[in-house]
Amino acid sequence: KNARADELIDVYRQSGRSAEGCYRDALVQDPSINGKLVLAWKVDHTGKAQNVRIERSNVVNKFLEDCIITHLREVAFPKQPRFSPVQVEYEFDFQRQMNP
């Protein structure tokens, strides 16, 4: 595992912009939502998430996916070396008890 990527995942978890809030909002519209969503992104020299994309998903809920991507783009990650962005991949597991 990449230690820099792990650090950035911790920053995301502590950002207050949790996937759990998106999940709760999406459950109001569709109480049957569950599954896994894997997102990938790069953090660049400005500390912004770039090239955010869904790697895999069996959640099939556009609102939930868009909400998480929007919040991810708002997180202030630590700035990375200019020519060395960090690639991050993270799995969100949406079950009745959220485990982001």
Side-chain angles (χ1 to χ4, degrees):
K1 274 200 81 92
N2 184 326
R4 288 169 58 199
D6 288 345
E7 174 190 337
L8 296 174
I9 288 169
D10 287 342
V11 168
Y12 171 74
R13 286 181 177 156
Q14 296 166 16
S15 71
R17 293 182 173 91
S18 167
E20 189 170 353
C22 292
Y23 183 53
R24 279 195 306 266
D25 291 347
L27 281 174
V28 171
Q29 298 172 9
D30 180 359
S32 68
I33 297 171
N34 66 60
K36 295 183 180 182
L37 168 67
V38 178
L39 285 185
W41 69 94
K42 290 182 182 176
V43 176
D44 67 11
H45 70 281
T46 67
K48 291 287 187 190
Q50 304 290 337
N51 301 1
V52 181
R53 67 187 184 283
I54 296 169
E55 286 289 300
R56 294 180 303 284
S57 176
N58 64 1
V59 174
V60 193
N61 185 284
K62 183 145 177 54
F63 171 84
L64 177 59
E65 294 169 347
D66 289 348
C67 180
I68 292 171
I69 289 170
T70 296
H71 287 159
L72 183 65
R73 288 183 173 142
E74 294 172 355
V75 174
F77 290 101
K79 295 178 180 179
Q80 300 302 309
R82 182 172 288 279
F83 300 107
S84 184
V86 177
Q87 180 69 41
V88 182
E89 188 171 291
Y90 186 67
E91 179 179 280
F92 299 88
D93 189 357
F94 300 103
Q95 305 303 326
R96 283 290 162 228
Q97 284 89 26
M98 176 68 190
N99 296 315

